[in-house]
């Protein structure tokens, strides 16, 4: 049914107000958190190089520094702080270690693994992140319900078995001695 009188021009009646403490705050869900571009922490292996020794501890560590990201949720700026909380090292030989310790470089032996046999492996670090966020200029942090994870795989490493021998000179003095470049294992069988 048409109005009984004609419509007037629009007139601003209220210029708005600040959101009160009781107003609902947008929730950053676990799915929202998992979609953020979390950087996988760098995987460090010691000794540094492309090989390690059988039955000698290989040290690993990573950086546990929290990461701050910004995103938008329902038109509002959201600051997210993601913190690495759990680290799983897949050693590439069928074993893995899960820890809350990010490890430290040598001389610390916080997170280590001793390979049992020679071969080629690649270590994979899977990091679990927990998070908290705040919306706009609100000083209150809220926890994200749920976690996210990132993974990084290091370069391949040769696990080698080395044998030491006592010799009467250096390889420069005796290039055909065991362990030297000129050594021929067939001549050692005589």
């Amino acid at each position: 049914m048409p109005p009984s009188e004609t419509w007037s021009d629009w007139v601003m009646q209220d210029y708005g107000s600040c959101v009160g403490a009781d107003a609902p705050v947008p929730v950053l869900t676990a799915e929202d958190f998992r979609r953020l571009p979390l950087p996988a922490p760098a995987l460090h292996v010691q000794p540094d190089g492309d090989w390690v020794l059988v039955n000698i501890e290989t040290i690993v560590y990573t950086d546990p520094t929290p990461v701050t990201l910004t995103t938008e949720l329902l038109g509002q700026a959201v600051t997210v702080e993601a913190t690495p909380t759990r680290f799983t090292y897949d050693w590439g030989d069928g074993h893995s270690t899960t820890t809350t310790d990010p490890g430290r470089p040598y001389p610390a032996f916080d997170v280590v693994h001793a390979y049992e046999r020679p071969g080629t492996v690649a270590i994979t670090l899977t990091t679990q992140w927990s998070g908290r966020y705040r919306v706009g200029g609100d000083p209150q942090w809220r926890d994200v319900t749920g976690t996210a994870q990132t993974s990084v795989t290091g370069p391949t490493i040769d696990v080698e078995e080395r044998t030491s021998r006592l010799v009467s000179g250096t390889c420069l003095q005796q290039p055909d001695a065991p362990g030297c470049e000129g050594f021929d294992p067939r001549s050692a069988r005589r």
Side-chain angles (χ1 to χ4, degrees), residues 42-49 51-53 55-62 89-91 97 99 101-115 121 123-125 154 157:
L43 168 63
H44 302 280
V45 179
Q46 288 182 325
D48 190 23
W51 62 276
V52 296
L53 292 173
N55 298 320
I56 302 293
E57 292 177 325
T58 299
I59 300 170
V60 293
Y61 63 96
T62 191
Y89 294 91
D90 180 332
W91 301 103
T97 300
T99 179
D101 187 344
R104 292 177 294 161
Y106 179 85
F109 283 81
D110 298 333
V111 184
V112 297
H113 180 66
Y115 289 97
V121 298
I123 301 171
T124 299
L125 166 61
I157 301 170

Side-chain angles (χ1 to χ4, degrees), residues 4-89:
S4 60
E5 55 187 73
T6 58
W7 291 74
S8 65
D9 291 336
W10 289 93
V11 176
M12 177 73 73
Q13 296 294 320
D14 183 1
Y15 289 96
S17 61
C18 293
V19 175
D22 298 337
V25 173
V27 174
L28 184 77
T29 65
E31 291 77 23
D32 296 329
F33 186 53
R34 290 182 193 118
R35 280 193 288 267
L36 292 173
L38 293 171
L43 168 63
H44 302 280
V45 179
Q46 288 182 325
D48 190 23
D50 59 356
W51 62 276
V52 296
L53 292 173
V54 169
N55 298 320
I56 302 293
E57 292 177 325
T58 299
I59 300 170
V60 293
Y61 63 96
T62 191
D63 182 5
T65 304
V67 174
T68 301
L69 303 164
T70 56
T71 189
E72 192 172 289
L73 187 61
L74 300 175
Q76 296 186 46
V78 177
T79 302
V80 180
E81 183 181 82
T83 303
T85 54
R86 183 172 301 220
F87 309 94
T88 300
Y89 294 91

